[in-house]
Amino acid sequence: DTGVSQNPRHKITKRGQNVTFRCDPISEHNRLYWYRQTLGQGPEFLTYFQNEAQLEKSRLLSDRFSAERPKGSFSTLEIQRTEQGDSAMYLCASSLHGQQMYEQYFGPGTRLTVT
Amino acid sequence: GNSVTQMEGPVTLSEEAFLTINCTYTATGYPSLFWYVQYPGEGLQLLLKATKADDKGSNKGFEATYRKETTSFHLEKGSVQVSDSAVYFCALSGYAGGTSYGKLTFGQGTILTVHP
């Protein structure tokens, strides 16, 4: 069990550029979640996948945001035409979901700074 | 919708002091409740959880009891250590009608600093 990994750990980009983040969940976990955390706040839910199906998207996820989880393994989160308000920590979590709800394990996050 | 409210921080205590961090929630159905901790420079870790009313979650000397009548899940520890300095998040996950939603709704976090 190597845990949830996220890459890159830090990303600095200019406003208007596109960025893509990757999350590798714990291998046997079927659910994968994306959250966003701004300074001094708790994480806010963005979207989640069960296997390769994206089951829910938050209203926070504007049309500039897109997430994929091809083959139900790793996931990518892309932000197009970045804005300064997108600056935040983007967290990924995974869990094994079945009859019971299991613990979500969080990755270290990708810190995005939009200049 | 679901929401979580934590006591305002930061909280500063001396080592061996008693800790309480208040957490109240609003949710439909029968949520599960969690406390997560974020140590400096590290990712979020689950500290403890409770999945039904009157359950007590406990871990590393921390405890919290799921109180449905007061919609609360206060975190307590009898004697804090310097190593407990971290940010603590209360969170809930909705569960209703046989369906577990899974996604977490977090409070804003409480910074705890423990001095020797």
Side-chain angles (χ1 to χ4, degrees), chain A residues 11-29:
Chain A
K11 179 71 177 178
I12 300 174
T13 191
K14 293 184 188 301
R15 188 175 50 149
Q17 297 295 306
N18 299 344
V19 294
T20 300
F21 311 141
R22 177 177 170 126
C23 171
D24 287 272
I26 293 171
S27 58
E28 65 269 25
H29 284 182

Side-chain angles (χ1 to χ4, degrees), chain B residues 31-34 48-52 54-57 64-66 73:
Chain B
S32 293
L33 302 174
F34 306 85
L48 53 84
K49 67 180 181 183
T51 57
K52 60 183 188 295
D54 300 324
D55 268 3
K56 178 186 282 189
T65 301
Y66 188 147
F73 193 55

Side-chain angles (χ1 to χ4, degrees), chain A:
Chain A
D1 180 357
T2 57
V4 178
S5 61
Q6 293 186 245
N7 288 288
R9 295 290 306 275
H10 303 273
K11 179 71 177 178
I12 300 174
T13 191
K14 293 184 188 301
R15 188 175 50 149
Q17 297 295 306
N18 299 344
V19 294
T20 300
F21 311 141
R22 177 177 170 126
C23 171
D24 287 272
I26 293 171
S27 58
E28 65 269 25
H29 284 182
N30 55 359
R31 277 207 176 177
L32 187 149
Y33 301 82
W34 285 99
Y35 295 86
R36 182 171 67 187
Q37 185 177 17
T38 53
L39 199 62
Q41 299 297 316
E44 295 175 297
F45 169 77
L46 293 179
T47 187
Y48 84 92
F49 294 83
Q50 180 148 322
N51 301 312
E52 63 274 7
Q54 188 173 18
L55 296 187
E56 186 174 349
K57 294 196 298 184
S58 163
R59 289 171 295 174
L60 292 175
L61 217 63
S62 75
D63 291 344
R64 297 184 296 106
F65 288 70
S66 61
E68 295 182 340
R69 193 184 182 197
K71 304 178 183 177
S73 56
F74 71 92
S75 175
T76 57
L77 178 68
E78 182 183 17
I79 309 174
Q80 296 183 324
R81 304 181 303 281
T82 52
E83 302 172 356
Q84 288 189 321
D86 297 331
S87 296
M89 178 76 85
Y90 290 83
L91 300 172
C92 175
S94 71
S95 70
L96 180 61
H97 191 81
Q99 291 291 333
Q100 298 179 40
M101 186 185 61
Y102 290 87
E103 172 183 349
Q104 290 186 30
Y105 292 82
F106 281 80
T110 295
R111 181 168 297 282
L112 173 66
T113 302
V114 182
T115 61

